[in-house]
Amino acid sequence: MQAVTVVPGMAGSAVLDDVPEPAADAGPVLVEALAVGVCGTDAEIANGGYGWAPPGQERLILGHESLGRVLDPGPTGLAIGEHVVGIVRHPDPMPCPSCAVGEWDMCSNGLYTERGIKQAHGFMAERWRVEPEYLVRVDERLGTLGVLLEPATVVTKAWQHILSIGQRTFWDPQVVLIVGAGPIGLLAALIGVQLGREVHVLDRVTTGPKPGLVEQLGASYHVGTVAELGLQPDIVIECTGVVPLIVEAADAVAAGGIVCLTGIGSPDTTTAATAALLAKDAVLKNLVIFGSVNANRRHYFRAARVLARADRAWLEQLVTRRVRPADVEQALAGRPDDIKVVMEFAQP
Ligand code: BGC
């Protein structure tokens, strides 16, 4: 069968390859790929900056934002043809206490694996296998938009952590600032609106689909710096990883506020002075500045609700480019107006 593979650590090695059918030990459920979302992590792996092949192998099948159709349900109660998404992270083999209770997104010893990222093949393949515990059903009415489930889980987890951290004290958060209007930022804004908050989104661009998408949500779109906004948000969800924006976010957030970091930027602007500024804001304003990555099964179920409640036409606009697996190079090279690029396999 065909699959998009890379040699982790080797820039420019992503190709559409002939690979063996998925190994039976990957799980009893056989799935036919419908679509796979492409994200910044995939580009980073393709640029040689991240990623690990399965032990003993040279190449990694890329792709972690999956959507497929059950071909063979094995011993599960699934029906042939049902739409499913594979969970990205699998617990470490020890397992650590977090993995042991199903919170592998919080793995404490770093020995977890991630499909398409770390030591386990991903989903950019015509067919993939999965264990029933790492598979979630999605509403077929979403069609290929089911591919948005994985990025939605990442922000669902971030939101859940924000709300539970908020329980530390009296807190009545109203104003939310999302920094970055990529897929993660827009899905974070969607959840903020669903939670009834006043949502602001900051990005660099004034053209393309982003301003309209934010306005259609009933949120406010801004360009410029965080400082120029003149807002005092209770919650900031930072989705760019750009260090000066993180510092500005900590400076602007209201006392007692929460800054959630979901992006990783380049380290070139990090200095001791930056850390000191962050520490000053965090201490003097009782802030919580925390990071969030990945998601567990609970977040997949909640994220499915988020997508089900969202306006289908709005979700549709998040997919700005659909590509064939053979066009992997174009898929991985971002374009200025891209929000979510989706690689299509079989037709739904
Ligand atoms: C994925 C997460 C993963 C993270 C780090 C992200 O792109 O969505 O599931 O944990 O990369 O590898």
Side-chain angles (χ1 to χ4, degrees):
M1 66 169 183
Q2 293 200 304
V4 173
T5 69
V6 292
V7 179
M10 191 189 286
S13 59
V15 287
L16 184 64
D17 229 354
D18 278 320
V19 301
E21 287 292 322
D25 63 5
V29 183
L30 180 66
V31 179
E32 176 183 38
L34 294 173
V36 184
V38 180
C39 89
T41 304
D42 299 310
E44 219 181 316
I45 297 172
N47 288 333
Y50 197 61
W52 298 262
Q57 298 187 35
E58 195 200 4
R59 303 193 77 92
L60 169 76
I61 299 180
L62 200 61
H64 59 277
E65 298 183 3
S66 62
L67 175 70
R69 168 162 65 197
V70 174
L71 276 182
D72 177 357
T76 67
L78 289 161
I80 292 174
E82 268 192 278
H83 285 195
V84 291
V85 163
I87 290 178
V88 177
R89 191 177 284 195
H90 289 211
D92 74 76
M94 307 282 271
C96 74
S98 301
C99 285
V101 299
E103 295 190 349
W104 47 72
D105 56 314
M106 300 298 290
C107 179
S108 57
N109 64 15
L111 298 177
Y112 62 83
T113 56
E114 285 181 342
R115 295 200 62 165
I117 301 174
K118 184 172 180 277
Q119 298 166 326
H121 284 310
F123 303 107
M124 282 184 189
E126 286 179 280
R127 283 170 290 286
W128 40 272
R129 282 188 174 273
V130 62
E131 277 151 351
E133 312 86 278
Y134 302 109
L135 177 149
V136 178
R137 284 189 174 109
V138 281
D139 190 340
E140 272 167 53
R141 285 170 300 183
L142 279 173
T144 48
L145 295 176
V147 81
L148 297 172
L149 185 66
E150 198 277 340
T153 66
V154 168
V155 281
T156 298
K157 171 189 169 174
W159 263 109
Q160 287 207 325
H161 281 226
I162 291 166
L163 297 177
S164 39
I165 292 168
Q167 298 304 307
R168 70 190 168 134
T169 184
F170 170 78
W171 196 47
D172 185 20
Q174 298 301 329
V175 180
V176 180
L177 171 64
I178 313 284
V179 184
I184 292 294
L186 289 167
L187 290 167
L190 169 69
I191 297 178
V193 170
Q194 288 186 351
L195 290 170
R197 303 299 200 267
E198 175 187 322
V199 178
H200 298 262
V201 180
L202 178 75
D203 198 280
R204 285 184 303 194
V205 302
T206 48
T207 55
K210 291 177 179 178
L213 276 163
V214 170
E215 266 136 42
Q216 285 168 44
L217 276 182
S220 310
Y221 187 85
H222 309 267
V223 287
T225 65
V226 178
E228 280 163 8
L229 281 181
L231 274 178
Q232 229 187 27
D234 303 296
I235 298 170
V236 180
I237 305 183
E238 211 299 318
C239 308
T240 68
V242 175
V243 175
L245 289 173
I246 296 171
V247 174
E248 284 182 38
D251 197 38
V253 74
I258 298 180
V259 180
C260 171
L261 310 179
T262 64
I264 309 171
S266 77
D268 53 0
T269 47
T270 311
T271 62
T274 309
L277 277 177
L278 284 175
K280 180 172 157 243
D281 275 323
V283 172
L284 294 181
K285 293 199 290 179
N286 284 300
L287 305 183
V288 175
I289 303 172
F290 81 103
S292 182
V293 70
N294 196 252
N296 66 44
R297 202 171 167 82
R298 228 158 24 100
H299 306 121
Y300 278 76
F301 282 100
R302 279 200 178 269
R305 298 241 172 122
V306 168
L307 294 187
R309 284 179 60 194
D311 177 44
R312 208 63 55 82
W314 186 85
L315 291 176
E316 194 72 58
Q317 294 171 71
L318 294 186
V319 180
T320 44
R321 205 148 55 93
R322 294 171 188 269
V323 296
R324 294 171 309 141
D327 299 327
V328 54
E329 219 174 296
Q330 286 105 297
L332 291 164
R335 294 188 189 160
D337 279 351
D338 278 343
I339 296 179
K340 176 55 68 189
V341 176
V342 169
M343 188 176 280
E344 292 186 317
F345 283 81
Q347 284 307 304

